[in-house]
Structures are given as C-alpha cells and as structure tokens.
Amino acid sequence: MATFISVPLKKSSEVDLVKPLSKFVTASHPSGEEQAEYIRAVEELNKLRKNALGRPLDKHESSLEILLRTSTQILLLSLQLCLTFTWKDAFDKGSLFGGSVKLGNGAFGHIKDTVLSALNREPTMDISPETVGTLSLIMLAQAQEVFFLKATSDKMKDAVIAKLANQAADFYGDAFKQCQYKENLPKEVLPVLAAKHCIMQANAELHQSVLAKTKKHFGEEIARLQHAAELVKTVASRYDEYVSVKDLSDKINRALTAAKKDNDFIYHDRVPEVKDLEHIGKAALVKATAITPPISHKFTDLFEKMVPMAVQQSMSIYNQRKAETVNRLVGTMREATNLCNGVLASLNLPAALEDLSGDSIPQSIAEKARAIVQQGGLQSVEQLIKDLPDLLTRNREILDESLKMLDDEETTDSDLRAKFNQRWNRTPSGDLYKPLRAEGANFRSVLDKAVHADQVVRERYNTHCDMIALLCKPENELNAAIPSANPTKTLQGSEVVNVLRSQLTQLDEVKKERESLESEIKAVTFDMTASFLTALAQDGAINEEQLSLSQLDQAYGGYNQRVQASLRRQEELLAQVQTSHQEFSSLKQSNTEANEREEVLKKLASAHDSYVEISNNLREGTKFYNDLTEILLKFQNKCSDIVFARKTERDELLKYLQQSIAREPSAPSFSVPAYQSNPTPTAAGPTPAPRTVFVTKPQPPARPPPPNMTPQAASTTPTNPPPHAPPASNPPPVTPPTQAQGPPYPTYQGYPGYYQMPMGYNPYAYGQYSMPYMSYQPTPGQGGYPGAPPAGQPYPGYPQQPPQQQPYYPQQ
C-alpha cells in the first residue's frame, strides 16, 4: 500500500466566543438593530465552530465543507475587525502518516500568498512561508504519484507510465531538497521523501526496460533493471522503517534474472553503463491551482457589514471625497449646459430660425410650453416651494430639542457641582459635550446656508414666474401674447439658416451626451472597505487620503477627461453659432415689431430653462432636507443616550453623597467669648460641603445639653472637636469613589463620528448655489456611546426627554 504524507488538522478545544466578541461588538458599535444583528452573528459563529469541533469528521466533502466555512469565517472576521485568534501548531503532536488525504494542490500556496499577508503577527511554524512552500511541493509530488498509480492500475502503455513515474521522482527530489534544512518538520518527512524519490525513479526504469525489450534492446533492458534494483536496495537498507519496497524489489529482481538469462544464452547484447542510457521523458499532469475565496461554496459572511471604527471613519471621509468629486464633475457639466442655454436664449435660437413667418408660435417654443405643462406647470413648483419651510422647521426642531437636552443636563450638573464642590467628582458635562456641540454647530451652519439657497431659488422663480405662467396657457392664448412681425420668408432655405440649424443640432447632441455621461458618473460604485481593512491589517494604520485619492483618480480620471472634451467641443460650437448668427441677423429686416417679438421669444425660452433648473433644485432641496432629517435623528439619539447615561450616573452619585453625609458625626455648638472670636477669616478656603442636621438626644445631668445649632454652626465643620465634646456615635465618613457607581459609562474625549449619509446632488452642491458638503471629522480613538439602559428602566426617545428624578438636597 502506498504511503502518503498528510498534514494533521490544527488542534482546538472548547472556547466560548460569544462573551468576548459580544463585548467587543457592544463597545465598538452603537446600540440598536445593528448591534443586535452582530450579536446574533456572533452566536451563529459560535454554533458553527462547535459543530466543526464536536461532530466526528468522516472522509467526505460535507465534513470538509464544515471546516472550510468555519476557518473562512474566522479568517475574514480577523481581517474585518483586526482581531487576533490563537492557533496551535499542527506539528506539535501526532504523526504525519495516514491514509490518502484529499487536499487541493493550491491550498498551501493560498496560505503563503494570501493568508500570511493578512496575519498581524508571526505565524505558527506549520504555516510559516518556508513550511507551506515545502508542503506545497510535497502535495504536488503526491498528486503526480496518484496519476502514476492510476495509470498502472489501468494497464496503460509502459512509455506513458515511465514518464509519469520519472516526473513524480523529480517532484519528490525537489521536495527533499526543500526539507533538508527544515527543523520544524517531523523527522519522518525527510526519509520518506528520499525513499519516494528512489521508488519513483525505480518504477520509471522498470517500465522503460519493458519498452527497451519490445525494441529488442536487451542490453538496455538489463542496465535499467540493474539500476532499478540498486535503487530499491538503497531504500530497503536505509528507509525500510518508513516504507516497504519488498513487492517492488521482488518484481524487479524477477525481471532482471529473466533478462540476464535470455541475454546470456541467446542475445549476447552488450549491457551499457547507466550514464550512457537515454534519458526517460517526463509528463507532468498536476500543477498548483489558484484558490478563489471564499473556499467554501456555501459560505455566507456573517459579519459582512461589520468593520473596525478606524475603517468606519475612513469610509466616512472617503464617501465625502467621492461625493465632492461627483458633485464637481456633475456641477461642471450642468454649468456648461446652463451657459449654452443662456447664450442660445440671448440669440433667440432656435426660435429665430423657426419664426421666419412672423405670425405663429415657433416649434421650439411650443415644445417648451408642452414640456412645462407635462411637468405640472406653476402648481408643482409652488407646491415644492411651499413644502420647504415645513421641512426646514422639522429639522430645526430636532436640532433644537437635541441641544436642549444637553443644555438641561449641563445646567443640572453645574448646579450640583456648585453645591457639592470637590465631592462632585465626575467629568463636567460642559467638557464632555464639546464634540457634540461642535457637531450641532455644524448642523446649524448647514441649515443657515440651506435657508440662503432656498431664498436664491425663490427669487429666481419670482423673476420668471410671469413668463412661465404664459407658457402654461393654451396655444391660442400664447400665440396672441406674442407680438407679430413682418415676415422674413425670403430667408427660408438660405445657406446661413442651414448652417445655423446644423450647428444647433450638434449642440443638442453635446447636451444629450452630457446627460448620459452624468448618469454614468453617478452610477460608479466601488467599495473601499476591503482596501482599508487590508491596509489596517498590514500596516496597523490607514492612510485614507492616499488610498482614497488613488481610487478616485482611477475611477473618475477617464470621466474627467470626457467632461473636459465636452466643454471644449461646446466652446467651439458656440463660437461658430455666434459668427453664423451675426450673418443671419444682418439679413433680417430690423424694425420695432420684429425686435419686440424677438425679445418676447427670448424671455419665453429663458423662462423654460429657468423652470427646469428651479424644479430640479427644489426636488434636490427636498431630498436634502429629508436626508438631513435622518442624520439629525441619529444625532438626537446620540444626545439622548449620553444624557440618559449622565442622569443615571448623577442619581447614583447623589445617592452615595447623601449616604456619606448621613454617616458623618454632628458637631455640637458652644459659646465662644467675644474676645476669642475672629470675625475676619485668616485665609480663604473652599466652601464646606452641606451638612445634614440631626437632633441630639438629651445627655446625662453631669454634662450640659448642647445648645441649638445655628445655620452658621451647622455649616462649619471643625477639624478636631473640643476636649469636652461627646464621643462620636457615627462612623467617620468614607472617601467617595473616583467614579460614581452605576451603568458603565465611558470617560473619553469625544464622540465617534456618525456615518455620513450621501446627500445626493442638491442645489447647494454646485454653481452659484454652492454650499459645502456637510462633513464631520471624528476624533481618532474615540469610544462608543453608552448602550441601552438595563432591563426595566425606561429608554428615552424623541421628542420626550428621559423622566427627571427629583434629587434629594439636604437642608442647610
């Protein structure tokens, strides 16, 4: 039976992944549906791992599938979250020998080229680059040997079998050379490879001797059989402990004895030296095949959407860069189109070419009128304008309510700090809320700029509303409103008219191409998550700017060139149109009526273009406000979460301080002679903490009862009581802890940045209505937000604040 080298499975033991991974999820991701989804994924991963370890693994692909799913998920999770999983060395225990193990020939190459680059620490010896390279050669040689065995079993031609065996001998020789200096491999590997090299070479000589016999080269036959016998003799003497060659040796010796007998008595052919024999050919039927992840065909990434905070922040900034790039390209094309329309409207084109009769509506004007009516006319624009203030008000209310929660909690914190002084030893709310207030100020600035943009759009509408209303009228009323002029039918069919029409057609084609190009630019999608994760795994940090700019240049560089080419083409055509129009105007009859008619037609064409632009701006403005509402609601939830956590912390600290004060001894008051009194304090000190007044029980007659305590006496805490003071019946006060007890509340410098939602292409993102893209730069290294409140406690929601528990203030 053939002996094959196998790589044992990595040993493992029962490990609870749920607790540490759930803690990581809770600490690094905000509460809500997303966190619950990730925790469910953690539980599913734990079940998958237990299934892989708990069930017996038979020699079937279903068992292999379970291992592949588990290992692939753990590998991807370590890449996504930069987590470190501990692996044991597969060569620590056990033997390498066993039955035939079905392994992909490219598995170790995949580990060497892909897996090792993703590890963020030194690999174990069994998957070090040198080891996996050697194992890859071993598997390649064994795969070639399998083909040799199959060819032998199928009784294929000896010439083919000899070539297969000779190639396998070469592969085993290469693997042997690689293993000579690998001390981490078990000691059995090297002798087995040496034996296999000799065995495969002996098989090649055996089958090549049969081929020589058929060709009546009897001397060559004997020479090859003698060489084969020497090879198996070497294996038997040196490696018999690992590999048995008795059957092969007997077969070779029988063939050699028969060949010598025939040659000695019959053929008398000269037996050549081994070095003079013709080399046996080779036939390689195996090669290392590349593995395309995921290796498991049934694999589904449980943590596909989960990435480290550093990647989230990089993705947020990258999305901002991408939106700015798209807005710049789209805005440039729209500005060029508006410029083109403005130039043509000022020249009364193409209406001037269609108005050669002077008494009917030009075709282009009629088409523009129908287009406005189909889009809803004045009514649709006025409704959009009417809706904007409501959307603005809703966003302002959410922002105001969010900041009011912070203001109220900060005011309460300041009051208690003034009351308890040093005992109120938690982080001031004013310091903790600085990042949130900066974020709120950014939102306020964005809303103010949006209001200005709304006003600009409204003023433009007021400028053109009369002409837009005229285009919405029936055709007969529109025709009546346009002044008539003397006909210029003599220009029909002239060369200048044909040239102008051709140039206008080319301009229309440029604008249509621009619309198609805009759609292509908006449709470009690519995910930078993998690039950021790889950078984080390899370097421990993310150079977001370099990676983002490189990807954006690669994705949009070609589009930028096409945009610039479109602008140059438009500039050339407009120059030609203006030249042709001057010639056309010189041929037209100029009079007052014609000038009035041309002026009205210009205004109508300009009104149509303005209507289209205003409608687009208003729709984009509506989308802008709706998207901003979602972001502001997330901001409100952040404010609500931290205010609730601060309130819980505040109540716990108040409770502790009240108990601590109650345990302090009461200082009795006594009369002080006037000459001993010191009305002026010698040094200014901190205001003492409030004290709770307790009524003193009557003392025995031998001691006078203490007089009534005045507020001033109650507020004075003597350092040492007088000698005649009664012993304190209460224990001394306990030093308060440095952090109030309660639900876990992080002390950190700021909040993590919210995930920027793309704002689309709003009217504030390009042209003269430019408004900066709303962004938020999170502070690196920030922690997560406090999680949901414990079971049984109310969770604050919008618009109500968490219920305010009335704290107990001791009477002074």
Side-chain angles (χ1 to χ4, degrees):
M1 179 178 179
T3 301
F4 286 98
I5 297 174
S6 64
V7 180
L9 297 176
K10 281 182 172 290
K11 303 297 181 182
S12 185
S13 57
E14 288 294 331
V15 176
D16 183 15
L17 298 178
V18 175
K19 186 175 180 180
L21 289 180
S22 297
K23 184 178 179 181
F24 176 84
V25 169
T26 304
S28 59
H29 289 78
S31 60
E33 296 181 2
E34 194 177 54
Q35 184 189 90
E37 180 182 352
Y38 293 151
I39 291 180
R40 287 193 296 269
V42 169
E43 295 172 350
E44 184 64 26
L45 173 61
N46 200 48
K47 292 179 182 177
L48 187 65
R49 185 178 182 276
K50 285 185 177 179
N51 190 23
L53 298 180
R55 61 178 293 177
L57 299 176
D58 52 12
K59 296 181 180 180
H60 193 270
E61 289 190 2
S62 60
S63 297
L64 182 62
E65 181 67 28
I66 294 174
L67 294 177
L68 290 176
R69 287 180 59 195
T70 305
S71 59
T72 303
Q73 183 62 80
I74 291 178
L75 174 62
L76 287 179
L77 184 61
S78 62
L79 287 174
Q80 290 166 334
L81 305 183
C82 298
L83 299 180
T84 299
F85 289 87
T86 301
W87 298 88
K88 295 183 179 179
D89 193 329
F91 295 143
D92 274 350
K93 295 181 181 180
S95 172
L96 287 176
F97 302 101
S100 176
V101 178
K102 185 176 182 181
L103 293 174
N105 296 324
F108 294 104
H110 178 73
I111 293 175
K112 182 179 180 181
D113 299 334
T114 305
V115 177
L116 292 180
S117 63
L119 293 178
N120 53 9
R121 58 175 180 160
E122 285 295 320
T124 54
M125 293 300 295
D126 58 335
I127 60 171
S128 64
E130 298 81 7
T131 303
V132 295
T134 302
L135 293 175
S136 179
L137 289 176
I138 294 174
M139 295 304 144
L140 204 63
Q142 294 186 151
Q144 179 74 18
E145 182 182 356
V146 169
F147 278 100
F148 159 76
L149 294 174
K150 182 69 168 60
T152 304
S153 175
D154 293 345
K155 294 181 169 44
M156 297 182 70
K157 294 180 179 180
D158 290 287
V160 173
I161 298 176
K163 291 179 180 178
L164 292 175
N166 197 30
Q167 182 65 69
D170 266 14
F171 283 155
Y172 276 117
D174 293 339
F176 176 80
K177 293 175 183 177
Q178 283 274 59
C179 286
Q180 280 184 315
Y181 306 103
K182 301 295 183 300
E183 298 180 357
N184 59 306
L185 291 176
K187 63 178 182 178
E188 300 91 347
V189 174
L190 195 63
V192 168
L193 293 178
K196 284 295 189 79
H197 171 70
C198 295
I199 291 172
M200 286 295 102
Q201 195 171 357
N203 274 291
E205 296 289 358
L206 173 63
H207 287 277
Q208 191 69 20
S209 71
V210 176
L211 187 63
K213 183 178 180 179
T214 59
K215 296 180 179 180
K216 300 186 182 302
H217 298 166
F218 303 110
E220 179 186 347
E221 176 191 9
I222 295 173
R224 292 192 182 278
L225 288 173
Q226 287 177 343
H227 187 206
E230 292 173 358
L231 289 170
V232 294
K233 184 178 179 180
T234 300
V235 173
S237 63
R238 297 182 181 180
Y239 312 119
D240 186 57
E241 178 185 354
Y242 307 101
V243 180
S244 175
V245 290
K246 184 178 184 306
D247 293 340
L248 178 60
S249 178
D250 292 344
K251 184 177 181 180
I252 293 174
N253 286 330
R254 286 194 302 268
L256 178 58
T257 300
K260 282 184 176 181
K261 180 178 180 181
D262 291 343
N263 192 53
D264 290 343
F265 287 97
I266 303 174
Y267 306 115
H268 304 290
D269 195 9
R270 186 183 67 85
V271 179
E273 296 289 335
V274 174
K275 63 180 180 179
D276 298 329
L277 294 175
E278 184 180 353
H279 293 291
I280 303 173
K282 301 174 185 177
L285 296 185
V286 297
K287 65 178 182 178
T289 55
I291 293 180
T292 304
I295 305 175
S296 170
H297 299 293
K298 299 180 181 179
F299 176 76
T300 301
D301 190 359
L302 300 174
F303 302 89
E304 182 178 7
K305 301 178 181 178
M306 189 176 183
V307 294
M309 184 60 66
V311 177
Q312 292 185 38
Q313 294 172 353
S314 297
M315 284 297 299
S316 177
I317 301 174
Y318 160 74
N319 284 330
Q320 177 185 342
R321 294 184 190 274
K322 179 184 175 183
E324 290 173 349
T325 301
V326 173
N327 283 337
R328 176 176 54 80
L329 293 175
V330 172
T332 300
M333 290 191 294
R334 290 186 178 181
E335 287 180 357
T337 300
N338 292 337
L339 174 64
C340 179
N341 292 337
V343 171
L344 295 181
S346 67
L347 301 177
N348 193 27
L349 293 174
L353 301 180
E354 301 162 351
D355 191 38
L356 299 180
S357 63
D359 56 1
S360 61
I361 302 176
Q363 181 181 353
S364 61
I365 298 297
E367 292 176 353
K368 287 179 170 60
R370 286 192 293 269
I372 289 179
V373 172
Q374 290 175 357
Q375 295 181 39
L378 282 177
Q379 184 177 0
S380 66
V381 172
E382 290 175 351
Q383 184 61 44
L384 289 172
I385 293 176
K386 181 181 178 182
D387 292 341
L388 286 183
D390 295 337
L391 298 175
L392 173 65
T393 301
R394 179 181 63 182
N395 285 327
R396 276 184 168 165
E397 288 176 350
I398 296 174
L399 180 58
D400 292 341
E401 182 68 24
S402 303
L403 297 178
K404 184 177 183 298
M405 285 191 289
L406 301 181
D407 292 338
D408 292 345
E409 199 284 325
E410 185 175 347
T411 300
T412 303
D413 181 71
S414 299
D415 293 343
L416 292 174
R417 189 173 305 279
K419 194 174 193 65
F420 290 99
N421 295 306
Q422 290 88 347
R423 295 193 181 196
W424 197 251
N425 58 351
R426 69 171 187 168
T427 305
S429 297
D431 296 340
L432 196 63
Y433 294 161
K434 284 181 180 179
L436 279 176
R437 293 198 180 279
E439 193 174 348
N442 180 57
F443 287 137
R444 186 81 68 190
S445 175
V446 167
L447 286 174
D448 292 340
K449 293 177 180 179
V451 171
H452 175 70
D454 294 343
Q455 184 62 32
V456 172
V457 174
R458 193 173 293 108
E459 291 175 356
R460 172 171 289 191
Y461 170 74
N462 293 334
T463 301
H464 297 278
C465 63
D466 292 338
M467 284 297 171
I468 295 175
L470 183 58
L471 288 171
C472 295
K473 291 184 177 181
E475 187 173 341
N476 57 341
E477 296 184 21
L478 176 59
N479 191 23
I482 301 175
S484 300
N486 294 329
T488 55
K489 294 182 180 181
T490 55
L491 291 177
Q492 291 185 1
S494 65
E495 182 179 357
V496 66
V497 172
N498 294 334
V499 170
L500 266 176
R501 284 176 176 167
S502 174
Q503 293 167 346
L504 293 178
T505 301
Q506 294 180 59
L507 276 175
D508 288 338
E509 292 175 356
V510 169
K511 289 189 285 187
K512 290 179 181 178
E513 291 175 359
R514 209 168 275 163
E515 293 175 359
S516 175
L517 183 58
E518 178 177 334
S519 300
E520 292 181 30
I521 292 175
K522 291 180 181 179
V524 173
T525 56
F526 47 87
D527 190 2
M528 288 292 292
T529 304
S531 299
F532 289 148
L533 284 172
T534 302
L536 186 61
Q538 293 180 348
D539 305 330
I542 301 176
N543 190 339
E544 181 277 329
E545 183 177 6
Q546 179 181 351
L547 293 174
S548 296
L549 293 180
S550 175
Q551 181 61 49
L552 290 173
D553 182 66
Q554 179 181 350
Y556 293 104
Y559 290 110
N560 185 58
Q561 295 177 3
R562 293 171 62 183
V563 169
Q564 297 302 320
S566 176
L567 297 182
R568 290 192 296 269
R569 177 60 176 159
Q570 174 179 299
E571 186 177 357
E572 294 172 358
L573 288 173
L574 284 179
Q576 297 173 8
V577 166
Q578 289 175 323
T579 302
S580 301
H581 183 267
Q582 291 178 355
E583 184 179 353
F584 172 76
S585 299
S586 64
L587 298 177
K588 290 179 59 176
Q589 297 180 2
S590 178
N591 54 54
T592 303
E593 294 177 352
N595 292 339
E596 291 179 355
R597 179 178 178 85
E598 184 171 351
E599 191 65 27
V600 172
L601 293 177
K602 289 180 182 179
K603 291 181 179 179
L604 290 174
S606 178
H608 167 268
D609 296 338
S610 297
Y611 176 85
V612 173
E613 184 178 357
I614 290 170
S615 298
N616 290 335
N617 289 345
L618 290 173
R619 291 189 183 93
E620 290 168 348
T622 301
K623 183 180 184 302
F624 168 81
Y625 282 122
N626 288 331
D627 291 343
L628 183 60
T629 298
E630 295 183 12
I631 296 177
L632 286 175
L633 286 174
K634 291 183 179 181
F635 175 72
Q636 185 186 48
N637 289 336
K638 290 195 293 187
C639 295
S640 178
D641 287 345
I642 191 172
V643 166
F644 179 79
R646 293 286 285 179
K647 175 186 176 298
T648 305
E649 181 189 48
R650 181 192 69 203
D651 293 345
E652 290 291 333
L653 183 55
L654 272 175
K655 180 180 178 181
Y656 169 80
L657 290 177
Q658 292 164 6
Q659 294 174 351
S660 176
I661 293 173
R663 290 192 296 266
E664 292 182 2
S666 301
S669 62
F670 50 90
S671 300
V672 180
Y675 64 86
Q676 294 181 358
S677 63
N678 186 11
T680 304
T682 58
T687 305
R691 299 284 302 278
T692 304
V693 179
F694 293 89
V695 179
T696 307
K697 293 182 179 181
Q699 302 294 324
R703 297 175 180 173
N708 293 330
M709 298 174 63
T710 62
Q712 289 77 8
S715 61
T716 304
T717 306
T719 304
N720 295 309
H724 62 273
S729 59
N730 292 324
V734 182
T735 304
T738 58
Q739 178 69 31
Q741 304 300 313
Y745 183 76
T747 56
Y748 48 88
Q749 298 179 356
Y751 274 72
Y754 60 86
Y755 187 81
Q756 184 76 33
M757 296 182 58
M759 288 297 174
Y761 310 101
N762 51 66
Y764 322 102
Y766 61 89
Q768 55 182 316
Y769 310 105
S770 177
M771 186 179 76
Y773 185 87
M774 184 172 59
S775 64
Y776 172 62
Q777 301 289 340
T779 304
Q782 294 172 349
Y785 293 105
Q793 296 188 19
Y795 190 87
Y798 174 77
Q800 296 182 352
Q801 297 187 40
Q804 298 290 331
Q805 179 181 351
Q806 182 65 30
Y808 171 76
Y809 299 103
Q811 300 295 325
Q812 298 186 13

